[in-house]
Amino acid sequence: MKKSKKSLILLFLLFLQVSSLYSQEEISFSHEEYQKMNHFIKKNKEILYLCKECTNQEIQKIRIFSFRSSFNNKIVVIKINEKELLPQYIYVWNIDKYQNLVALVKKDVHLLDIPITLEDNQIPTNILKNASDIPFLTQFEKQLIDAINLLRNNPNLYKEKLEKKLDYFRGNQFIIPGKIVIHTKEGQKAVLEAIEVLKQTKPLPQLEIKKELCDSSKSHVIDIGPKGIVSHYSSNGLSPSERISKLGNYKSMGEVISFGIYDAEEIVLQFLIDDGVWDRGHRKNLLEKNFRYVGASCGEHKTYHFMCVVDFGE
């Protein structure tokens, strides 16, 4: 009986400990606090996030391309770039430092093992640098161009990436466990076709970043993004070549557009597969040997939340 009683006490203490940990994850907010949180996030173009599931609880800088939140039964759900983030691990820039989002909206807040403010010496030096080493590109836009150049430099690497995707098709459905089901138009057919093309593709010249191509891409994002348009044509009817020619003089031009994808490598893979695009225009533009220059811009889209435009020139 004594051992049984002792076991019950230990189980009860363990339950209290687990409950305490869980309560740290789920914090109650008032509607006013929820509105304040929205205000602080919307003021920022990027946030810092204390990634508790990462090794050494690393701090990540996240540029905000889309932001959604909801408030239900005093619980706040925040989604940045379609990824759910816990409010207590979000830091926003306020006045002259990064401050904890929950601490900003609550008068009396107690966050165990989480600093209320992040000083410069607590933030990795690479995060304090500019988002990109090219001032007119965000870090994501630079990553997207780097991914395109990696494809051109090493087509076989992307062939292998495409081959791995084949296992996740069930008919025309692309299914990765734990993620949403993507309904494709062609199933494996477009992927297999792209693999065969890459088998025959030799390394291509690296593309040089041109500001005028970044500007033409950006003008298209600013134009069609807020309107929810899905087209290479501008809202006033300009084609990509007409739009690019207004800013730069090129022998030939091309454009690729992605909607709703937040990963640079996945965007390039989508362009290569070109599911449902009869002429495979996106794939052809990425692998066009005569192109020498590139520019990119990404931003919000009314319908798909996020979009990227990449323009090419010879």
Side-chain angles (χ1 to χ4, degrees):
M1 285 294 290
K2 287 184 178 180
K3 281 187 178 181
S4 177
K5 190 173 183 180
K6 187 176 181 180
S7 298
L8 286 171
I9 292 171
L10 287 172
L11 283 170
F12 179 71
L13 289 173
L14 180 61
F15 171 79
L16 286 177
Q17 185 179 6
V18 171
S19 299
S20 176
L21 288 171
Y22 180 78
S23 65
Q24 291 176 40
E25 299 293 300
E26 198 169 80
I27 301 174
S28 296
F29 298 93
S30 67
H31 190 264
E32 182 184 4
E33 289 168 343
Y34 165 62
Q35 290 179 318
K36 286 180 180 179
M37 291 167 73
N38 285 341
H39 167 74
F40 281 115
I41 292 177
K42 287 177 180 178
K43 279 176 60 179
N44 283 259
K45 291 184 178 179
E46 57 197 17
I47 62 160
L48 296 186
Y49 188 67
L50 181 57
C51 183
K52 300 289 281 187
E53 67 272 18
C54 298
T55 307
N56 299 326
Q57 297 185 6
E58 66 183 40
I59 295 172
Q60 300 176 340
K61 177 183 275 189
I62 301 174
R63 188 169 179 83
I64 301 173
F65 290 110
S66 76
F67 164 62
R68 289 191 292 161
S69 66
S70 61
F71 180 72
N72 187 32
N73 292 329
K74 297 186 178 181
I75 300 300
V76 171
V77 175
I78 290 175
K79 285 190 175 182
I80 293 177
N81 302 344
E82 297 305 299
K83 182 179 180 181
E84 188 173 326
L85 303 178
L86 291 169
Q88 60 267 40
Y89 301 141
I90 294 175
Y91 290 82
V92 295
W93 183 262
N94 186 52
I95 303 176
D96 61 351
K97 61 184 69 175
Y98 281 100
Q99 294 180 267
N100 184 272
L101 182 63
V102 175
L104 278 170
V105 302
K106 284 187 173 290
K107 292 179 181 178
D108 299 312
V109 63
H110 181 61
L111 300 175
L112 296 176
D113 301 322
I114 302 176
I116 302 301
T117 61
L118 289 177
E119 307 298 338
D120 286 357
N121 61 359
Q122 295 173 294
I123 304 172
T125 54
N126 64 314
I127 284 182
L128 288 174
K129 294 178 182 177
N130 289 333
S132 169
D133 53 359
I134 301 173
F136 48 85
L137 287 176
T138 66
Q139 183 65 35
F140 188 89
E141 290 158 356
K142 179 67 164 52
Q143 287 174 358
L144 179 55
I145 292 174
D146 287 345
I148 292 170
N149 273 326
L150 179 60
L151 160 69
R152 290 172 67 88
N153 180 62
N154 191 351
N156 187 62
L157 176 65
Y158 271 81
K159 176 187 75 71
E160 292 171 357
K161 293 179 185 295
L162 287 174
E163 287 171 341
K164 291 177 181 177
K165 284 185 173 290
L166 293 172
D167 294 336
Y168 296 103
F169 279 93
R170 299 293 180 270
N172 281 9
Q173 291 185 334
F174 183 74
I175 305 171
I176 297 180
K179 295 189 177 182
I180 62 171
V181 176
I182 298 174
H183 298 276
T184 69
K185 294 181 180 179
E186 302 177 67
Q188 288 186 344
K189 177 187 173 184
V191 183
L192 289 167
E193 182 189 295
I195 289 169
E196 288 305 310
V197 170
L198 290 180
K199 283 181 181 179
Q200 301 170 42
T201 301
K202 295 179 180 179
L204 298 162
Q206 179 162 311
L207 299 168
E208 178 185 340
I209 297 170
K210 285 286 187 180
K211 188 176 186 302
E212 57 260 32
L213 290 173
C214 293
D215 290 342
S216 67
S217 301
K218 187 173 183 179
S219 70
H220 199 46
V221 173
I222 292 172
D223 175 30
I224 71 169
K227 300 179 180 74
I229 297 172
V230 179
S231 174
H232 287 283
Y233 283 82
S234 303
S235 60
N236 60 2
L238 287 180
S239 68
S241 57
E242 289 172 324
R243 179 168 20 89
I244 294 168
S245 296
K246 291 174 69 176
L247 296 169
N249 185 24
Y250 297 95
K251 291 181 184 178
S252 62
M253 292 150 280
E255 181 174 87
V256 294
I257 305 182
S258 168
F259 297 93
I261 300 178
Y262 295 87
D263 182 279
E265 182 180 287
E266 283 299 321
I267 289 174
V268 174
L269 290 169
Q270 180 203 48
F271 289 150
L272 282 172
I273 296 168
D274 232 1
D275 177 65
V277 180
W278 68 270
D279 64 350
R280 308 301 192 209
H282 295 90
R283 183 194 300 162
K284 289 176 181 177
N285 280 329
L286 259 61
L287 301 176
E288 172 55 59
K289 63 181 181 180
N290 292 321
F291 284 152
R292 291 292 182 270
Y293 308 106
V294 67
S297 181
C298 300
E300 292 186 33
H301 189 269
K302 185 178 180 180
T303 306
Y304 292 101
H305 307 297
F306 184 56
M307 65 175 289
C308 288
V309 177
V310 184
D311 286 343
F312 302 92
E314 178 189 353

